[in-house]
Amino acid sequence: MKSRTRVTALLVVAIAGVLAALAGSIHGARAAGPTLTIWADQNRKDAVTQLANQWIAKNPGVTVNVVVKDFGSIRDNLGTVDATTAPDVILAAHDWTGQLAANGLVEPIYLKPAVKKEFPAYTLNAFSYGLAVKKLYGVPTQIENIGLVVNTKLVKIPTTFAQLEKEALAYKAKKSGNIAIAVQQGAGFDAYHMYPFFSGLGGYVFGTNSAGNLDASNIGVANKNFLKNAPLIDKWNKEGLVNSALDYSTAQNAFLKKQAAFYITGPWATQVLEQSGIKFKIIQVPKIIYPAVPFLGVQGAMVTKYASVHGVDALAQDFVSNYIPTPAAQLALAVANGRYPANTIAGKQVTDPVLAELLLAAEGS
């Protein structure tokens, strides 16, 4: 009897131990909580991590995993990634919206009317998609565009395109090796940096319909007005106002070495320009026949379809729709990436004069 009692007691202890272990692992799994995975580029990793930690403070038990990706690869990788390692939130460019939304890779999001008022309409339109009904698929975070950088010690700031053409060609003629307008093109051409010349001659990508939305059936690449004015491009190339052989480095170095007094670039060159010691001002390329507006780029954050697969859809939506739009978050992301914030309240806190001048150079785009 004593032996049987001892065995029973040992069995009870063993079962209790197993149950305790199971309870511990269940408790541990619950304590670990859900994980939100975000894909971000290296430049914004620290800013995104800091914002995520601030957001976590109001969402105890949630873990955020920020994964660094080359920004240009995020769109394509999202379509091929295994669901187990897929992101719930991504940083994105506005021109990815159509492809990602059409393929069902990103979810629509909702912004409160009061929050929408803090963003220029064009930034929200940039992340909207839909044939019958347009839906918002991303929260804008930064805007970017190019402008005409003028070395104010070498030339006057042009107010007309005729003045720009005259001064640029005169500077080119001063010395062998000088360049009139340092605008990158290169072997593959560069429609983005040449866009002000294109729009200034009456060209555009898409027109708008009566509702003010982009109209994919109205393509302005070869519209009547542009074709009528296009011979000016041949004239500019012939006289050397622009040079199709210039690439990024050649154009930038020409301006820094004072071989060019005019340079077309964007916010990615801010640090180089500010450290150059050159006195400069950034303006919009003066009106040619039409306003020479640049092509506007918008970056933002999107919720992927994988947030639902991972069971963190509500968390991802809250982070992107309620936290990312705040002025503080917008300013942090913009500063980290050297861009102007999309949120207008955050924009008023920008102190970098180069970014402020670039914003003015985007007028009308």
Side-chain angles (χ1 to χ4, degrees), residues 39 69-70 72-82 87 306:
W39 280 4
K69 292 283 184 179
D70 174 68
S73 70
I74 290 177
R75 172 178 53 179
D76 293 335
N77 287 352
L78 189 63
T80 58
V81 67
D82 185 88
Y306 297 105

Side-chain angles (χ1 to χ4, degrees), residues 36 38 55 88-90 107-119 124 136-141 300-304 312-327 329-330 333 343:
L36 194 71
I38 304 172
W55 174 74
D88 306 302
V89 173
I90 59 170
E107 297 182 354
I109 61 171
Y110 173 78
L111 290 183
K112 296 173 183 176
V115 174
K116 281 188 174 182
K117 289 181 180 178
E118 296 178 2
F119 293 84
L124 298 173
L136 185 65
Y137 283 89
V139 170
T141 55
M302 307 175 95
V303 176
T304 79
V312 294
D313 187 58
L315 290 169
Q317 289 281 352
D318 180 62
F319 181 67
V320 172
S321 300
N322 296 325
Y323 194 70
I324 290 296
T326 62
Q330 292 270 314
L333 287 172
N343 182 291

Side-chain angles (χ1 to χ4, degrees), residues 3-85:
S3 175
R4 196 174 293 174
T5 302
R6 189 179 297 112
V7 169
T8 302
L10 289 172
L11 187 60
V12 169
V13 170
I15 292 172
V18 170
L19 290 174
L22 286 172
S25 55
I26 290 170
H27 176 75
R30 284 178 181 166
T35 297
L36 194 71
T37 299
I38 304 172
W39 280 4
D41 57 300
Q42 184 65 52
N43 288 345
R44 287 173 286 184
K45 175 186 180 287
D46 291 344
V48 171
T49 302
Q50 185 177 3
L51 292 175
N53 288 336
Q54 293 167 0
W55 174 74
I56 287 173
K58 297 180 181 179
N59 295 273
V62 179
T63 301
V64 174
N65 178 30
V66 181
V67 179
V68 174
K69 292 283 184 179
D70 174 68
F71 187 70
S73 70
I74 290 177
R75 172 178 53 179
D76 293 335
N77 287 352
L78 189 63
T80 58
V81 67
D82 185 88
T84 57
T85 57

Side-chain angles (χ1 to χ4, degrees), residues 259-281:
Q259 294 173 323
F262 299 101
Y263 173 37
I264 291 180
T265 191
W268 44 88
T270 297
Q271 188 174 18
V272 170
L273 290 171
E274 289 179 331
Q275 293 176 352
S276 68
I278 295 173
K279 281 195 68 176
F280 65 89
K281 185 173 180 63

Side-chain angles (χ1 to χ4, degrees), residues 192-214:
Y192 179 77
H193 283 83
M194 285 295 292
Y195 193 82
F197 298 94
F198 174 68
S199 62
L201 295 177
Y204 55 91
V205 180
F206 296 116
T208 54
N209 57 26
S210 57
N213 297 323
L214 293 176

